[in-house]
Amino acid sequence: MSKPNLSLSLDMDNQWSYMKIHGEEGWEDYPSYLDIFVPHVLQVLKELDLKITFFIVGQDATFEKNHQYLRQIADAGHDIANHSFKHETWLHLYSKDEMKAEIDSAHDIIHEVTGKAPSGFRGPGFSWSGTLLEVLAEKGYKYDASTLPTVIGPLARLYYFSTSNLTKEEKEDRKEIFGKFSDGFKKLKPYFWKTNKNQKLLELPVTTMPVFRIPFHLSYLIYISNISPLLMMLYLNIAIFLCKVTKTEPSFLLHPLDLIGGDQITSLAFFPGMNVSSERKVFLFKKVMRKLGKHFTLTDMNGHVDDIYDKKGLKTVQVPS
């Protein structure tokens, strides 16, 4: 019997986007670590023979200095998806025209630079809205992956604000980042959104631990490993068990800073978790992948989505107005 799917994706947040989110000065110069990170992560993925989905920010594809690294991702056989153009966590506040311009501009430049047209989207900071879903459906996208069904969103937001240099106005813009407590009760398994024009769009949520609705993507596992490696594996084992019992096929999320430390990206050494070395992070990543690979077929988002489309009986949810 074949193993259930588990899709792997990496939100390609660059140095400037981390600085922008946290209100750090100098982000407007668009500093980049793609020249360091991309060769690093591609080598790690090659060693594990893994193909994943990279959610790319359109702004990065506008700079010639980044082109060779973005092409390297596509040339290595990885899937390419859209992570917005400006990487603004208040994307849900955009008007229909603003949203369309945001999605189109990112889509076009990513396609031009990588040679691959995105068919999936994830909002920065898990930001989404009915307007976003309508725009994606009208553009013919296969899926959205912006929802994070967790109950700890308000706590994550509180921590984020406490460690940032944001002004009162900037915090107001970001007041819904990471979602509400009630988001923990949203559907965890894939489903279809239905727009007012009767178009359908698949939603593939970032998987949280069934029943408890707490995250278990790599950022959280690394954090727990700093407390106890044994506790990390216990936490992961519980998540795997609950996914299998509930027949939940996970969508497992990665970020660049999960795989590389302040020893290589010294400009972000002050960020939480960057005191963990790149070697240690890669070791933990490989350990987690080996564990997940025993229970699931590891694939990219596109492969996972294609299999989901072949299945029957997915629930349909009306897009909120």
Side-chain angles (χ1 to χ4, degrees):
M1 184 179 296
S2 61
K3 293 181 286 188
N5 283 322
L6 179 149
S7 51
L8 296 164
S9 61
L10 189 149
D11 288 359
M12 196 67 161
D13 303 340
N14 204 348
Q15 180 175 336
W16 65 267
S17 56
Y18 278 106
M19 295 170 67
K20 180 179 183 178
I21 287 173
H22 283 78
E24 303 291 334
E25 293 183 358
W27 72 263
E28 299 95 335
D29 296 327
Y30 298 104
S32 173
Y33 53 54
L34 298 190
D35 58 326
I36 300 172
F37 176 70
V38 170
H40 170 76
V41 70
L42 291 183
Q43 179 59 37
V44 173
L45 293 173
K46 182 179 179 181
E47 291 170 3
L48 293 172
D49 193 26
L50 286 177
K51 293 293 187 288
I52 73 171
T53 296
F54 285 79
F55 282 89
I56 293 175
V57 178
Q59 181 72 70
D60 282 318
T62 66
F63 298 113
E64 180 69 33
K65 65 180 180 179
N66 295 328
H67 286 183
Q68 64 173 310
Y69 303 109
L70 298 179
R71 289 194 196 102
Q72 284 175 11
I73 295 170
D75 290 346
H78 296 287
D79 181 38
I80 302 296
N82 187 336
H83 196 37
S84 81
F85 187 86
K86 297 192 289 281
H87 199 271
E88 294 183 337
T89 54
W90 52 98
L91 186 75
H92 59 283
L93 300 178
Y94 282 22
S95 68
K96 181 74 174 284
D97 288 343
E98 291 171 331
M99 190 73 76
K100 190 174 186 304
E102 178 78 3
I103 302 303
D104 286 349
S105 56
H107 178 97
D108 292 345
I109 191 64
I110 291 169
H111 187 191
E112 178 184 336
V113 171
T114 67
K116 292 186 176 182
S119 60
F121 180 85
R122 177 175 291 135
F126 311 107
S127 179
W128 66 278
S129 66
T131 302
L132 167 67
L133 301 172
E134 289 178 359
V135 168
L136 294 177
E138 290 169 6
K139 194 168 180 64
Y141 268 44
K142 290 166 63 175
Y143 70 94
D144 175 70
S146 301
T147 58
L148 178 69
T150 182
V151 295
I152 71 164
L155 289 176
R157 182 167 56 251
L158 183 64
Y159 176 76
Y160 159 59
F161 283 167
S162 69
T163 58
S164 72
N165 295 316
L166 298 171
T167 65
K168 182 178 179 180
E169 291 75 17
E170 289 171 331
K171 288 181 179 179
E172 179 64 21
D173 282 338
R174 296 158 172 82
K175 66 181 180 181
E176 293 186 23
I177 188 173
F178 306 135
K180 305 178 288 294
F181 177 81
S182 59
D183 288 344
F185 301 95
K186 292 186 182 297
K187 294 182 184 301
L188 192 59
K189 295 181 181 181
Y191 55 93
F192 282 110
W193 291 110
K194 182 180 179 182
T195 72
N196 292 329
K197 296 181 179 179
N198 288 324
Q199 294 171 305
K200 285 188 175 182
L201 177 71
L202 180 68
E203 182 66 33
L204 185 55
V206 175
T207 305
T208 56
M209 194 182 293
V211 182
F212 299 106
R213 297 301 183 99
I214 50 179
F216 71 98
H217 48 267
L218 194 60
S219 302
Y220 287 83
L221 295 176
I222 291 174
Y223 175 80
I224 294 170
S225 77
N226 289 332
I227 302 171
S228 165
L230 290 177
L231 181 61
M232 182 197 82
M233 291 308 298
L234 174 62
Y235 190 89
L236 178 60
N237 284 330
I238 293 172
I240 291 171
F241 172 77
L242 290 173
C243 283
K244 295 184 75 173
V245 166
T246 59
K247 297 183 179 180
T248 301
E249 294 188 334
S251 170
F252 192 81
L253 176 63
L254 309 168
H255 287 96
L257 302 191
D258 296 338
L259 291 159
I260 199 165
D263 53 323
Q264 290 196 61
I265 303 178
T266 55
S267 55
L268 292 180
F270 64 91
F271 264 64
M274 291 299 278
N275 60 321
V276 181
S277 70
S278 299
E279 181 180 8
R280 175 66 177 168
K281 287 184 175 182
V282 169
F283 169 79
L284 291 171
F285 174 63
K286 289 182 175 180
K287 186 174 184 178
V288 170
M289 290 301 103
R290 284 193 293 267
K291 183 68 177 180
L292 291 173
K294 290 180 179 179
H295 300 274
F296 303 98
T297 297
L298 306 185
T299 183
D300 61 23
M301 297 285 285
N302 211 37
H304 194 177
V305 165
D306 284 345
D307 279 353
I308 292 170
Y309 268 100
D310 288 339
K311 296 176 180 177
K312 306 294 183 181
L314 284 188
K315 294 184 178 180
T316 301
V317 177
Q318 184 67 38
V319 167
S321 58

